[in-house]
C-alpha cells in the first residue's frame, strides 16, 4: 500500500481535514500503515495538485481554518485502479530475526530479554485487536464493508497470534541452548 492510496481510502470513507486524518490513522489504518502528520499533509498537497482530491469550501471564511478534503472522480478512479492491480507479497524484513542470526556468531547477550519483551508487546496488541473485534464486529454485522474491515482486523489478529506462538517457541528453544556467549 502507498500513503496516497491510504489517504484516498480514508477520505472516501469520510471527508476529513489533515488533523482528522492523522487521528483516524492513529486509530485504524495506522495499525497496518503508519504515517506522520507531516507525511499526510505533504500527500494531501500532492493529491490535490494531481486533481485526485479537493478542499471543501469553508462554511465561513476564517484565517487559519482547517481545510477538509473530499475525493474527486479521478481520485476514486486511481484508487479503483490501484485496488484491482496485482501486487507481489513483500519479503519479510524484521530486525529481531536478523539479530537472532547475528547472535549465532557474536553471542546471545540481551536476546532472551528482548524476545520476552516482544512477546509481551504482541500479547498486548492481540488483546487490543480482540477488544476491537468484540466491540466493532458483533455477530450478524455482515454488510460488505463491515466484512472487509473485519477481514483486515482478522489479519492483525492472526499475525499477532503467529508472533506469540513463534516467540513462545523461540524462548523454549533459547532455554535449551548451551550456555555460551
Amino acid at each position: 500500500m502507498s500513503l496516497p492510496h491510504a489517504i484516498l481510502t480514508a477520505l472516501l470513507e469520510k471527508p476529513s481535514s489533515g488533523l482528522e486524518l492523522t487521528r483516524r490513522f492513529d486509530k485504524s489504518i495506522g495499525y497496518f500503515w503508519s504515517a506522520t502528520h507531516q507525511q499526510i499533509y505533504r500527500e494531501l498537497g500532492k493529491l490535490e495538485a494531481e486533481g485526485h482530491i479537493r478542499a471543501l469550501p469553508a462554511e465561513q471564511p476564517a484565517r487559519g481554518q482547517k481545510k477538509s478534503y473530499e475525493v474527486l472522480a479521478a481520485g476514486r478512479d486511481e484508487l479503483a485502479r490501484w485496488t484491482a492491480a496485482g501486487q507481489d507479497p513483500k519479503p519479510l524484513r524484521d530486525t529481531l530475526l536478523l539479530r537472532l542470526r547475528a547472535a549465532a556468531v557474536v553471542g546471545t547477550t540481551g536476546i532472551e530479554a528482548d524476545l520476552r519483551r516482544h512477546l509481551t508487546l504482541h500479547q498486548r496488541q492481540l488483546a487490543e485487536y480482540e477488544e476491537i473485534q468484540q466491540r466493532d464486529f458483533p455477530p450478524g454485522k455482515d454488510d460488505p464493508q463491515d466484512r472487509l474491515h473485519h477481514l483486515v482486523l482478522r489479519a492483525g489478529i492472526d499475525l499477532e497470534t503467529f508472533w506469540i506462538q513463534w516467540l513462545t517457541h523461540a524462548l523454549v528453544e533459547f532455554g535449551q541452548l548451551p550456555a555460551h556467549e
Side-chain angles (χ1 to χ4, degrees):
M1 178 195 282
S2 68
L3 182 54
H5 297 102
I7 291 172
L8 288 171
T9 299
L11 288 175
L12 279 169
E13 291 172 344
K14 179 182 177 193
S16 304
S17 69
L19 181 58
E20 291 166 337
L21 282 172
T22 300
R23 289 180 180 146
R24 288 174 54 211
F25 264 67
D26 288 346
K27 293 179 182 174
S28 61
I29 292 174
Y31 285 116
F32 55 91
W33 192 264
S34 62
T36 66
H37 190 72
Q38 293 83 6
Q39 289 171 314
I40 289 172
Y41 273 95
R42 202 169 30 248
E43 287 302 325
L44 285 169
K46 289 178 187 176
L47 288 166
E48 190 172 23
E50 293 167 353
H52 290 163
I53 64 172
R54 74 174 179 121
L56 292 168
E59 291 177 18
Q60 294 179 333
R63 188 171 179 191
Q65 184 176 10
K66 63 182 179 181
K67 287 194 240 178
S68 287
Y69 296 90
E70 71 177 352
V71 177
L72 298 172
R76 180 181 281 279
D77 291 346
E78 168 53 24
L79 188 59
R81 180 210 59 77
W82 178 79
T83 301
Q87 233 177 18
D88 292 338
K90 300 285 183 214
L92 177 61
R93 288 179 56 164
D94 190 288
T95 55
L96 179 61
L97 298 177
L98 182 58
R99 289 175 52 232
L100 277 174
R101 181 73 184 237
V105 292
V106 299
T108 59
T109 301
I111 296 291
E112 183 175 10
D114 207 35
L115 288 171
R116 291 187 190 290
R117 186 178 70 82
H118 277 250
L119 178 58
T120 299
L121 293 171
H122 286 288
Q123 288 168 330
R124 283 186 196 148
Q125 190 63 62
L126 177 61
E128 186 175 341
Y129 286 161
E130 288 174 335
E131 183 181 308
I132 291 168
Q133 179 175 251
Q134 217 171 15
R135 180 191 69 220
D136 295 349
F137 299 101
K141 188 173 184 180
D142 63 351
D143 68 52
Q145 186 175 14
D146 286 334
R147 290 177 72 173
L148 292 175
H149 285 175
H150 193 195
L151 191 58
V152 173
L153 179 61
R154 281 296 323 169
I157 289 170
D158 292 348
L159 187 58
E160 294 304 327
T161 301
F162 160 78
W163 278 113
I164 290 166
Q165 290 171 345
W166 182 85
L167 285 159
T168 301
H169 176 76
L171 284 163
V172 169
E173 282 290 322
F174 203 87
Q176 296 173 356
L177 293 175
H180 81 306
E181 292 298 320

